[in-house]
Amino acid sequence: LAHSPSPPPHHPHPIMESQTSLRLSSAEWQKRLTPGQYQVLRCGGTEPPGSSPLVRAFPKVGYFACAGCGLPLYSAGAKFRDPGWPAWDKCFYSEVQGCHVRAKAGMMGTEILCARCNGHLGHVFFGERHTKTNERH
């Protein structure tokens, strides 16, 4: 994920706003992403707790976008404090894309993925009562 101060989305690899799907080969993803981003987004890896600079980022405006494709995922206002990983209580929704984050049930809980590039974003947790939505993404 990356923070952007205001729309429209900017990404080093421009993608049409109306493009609802992005599929690349492993080699193309490796060229596009840093090794750490590739490990998390494409291989389902997990950053060590507290290691992401986004844990300490609390901008007043803007949004957080997928590092793989630039799709806005979470608004700055949806972010809340969590000591281990960046956390949000709800995701973006648009008429073109629908819900910008999709969920996939698995053995380790509910995995969340970017709706455009299918990049692994982590997991969503329910019932912790940290926020009004009762969700932690």
Side-chain angles (χ1 to χ4, degrees), residues 21-124:
S21 179
L22 177 67
R23 303 291 179 246
L24 301 174
S25 69
S26 291
E28 290 171 312
W29 281 118
Q30 287 175 332
K31 284 182 194 173
R32 184 184 197 107
L33 302 169
T34 67
Q37 290 171 328
Y38 182 83
Q39 181 61 31
V40 171
L41 285 169
R42 308 315 310 166
C43 301
T46 301
E47 298 171 314
S51 67
S52 172
L54 296 180
V55 170
R56 294 168 295 286
F58 288 92
K60 301 265 188 245
V61 298
Y63 58 89
F64 295 85
C66 177
C69 70
L71 182 68
L73 300 171
Y74 302 103
S75 71
K79 189 150 187 316
F80 66 94
R81 293 198 184 281
D82 184 88
W85 291 275
W88 296 268
D89 68 346
K90 58 187 162 287
C91 63
F92 259 67
Y93 181 92
S94 70
E95 294 299 318
V96 172
Q97 188 73 44
C99 185
H100 290 208
V101 174
R102 67 180 189 86
K104 179 175 118 180
M107 290 181 60
M108 300 299 290
T110 304
E111 179 184 15
I112 49 176
L113 305 163
C114 174
R116 182 185 283 158
C117 72
N118 213 34
H120 173 80
L121 302 173
H123 293 82
V124 63

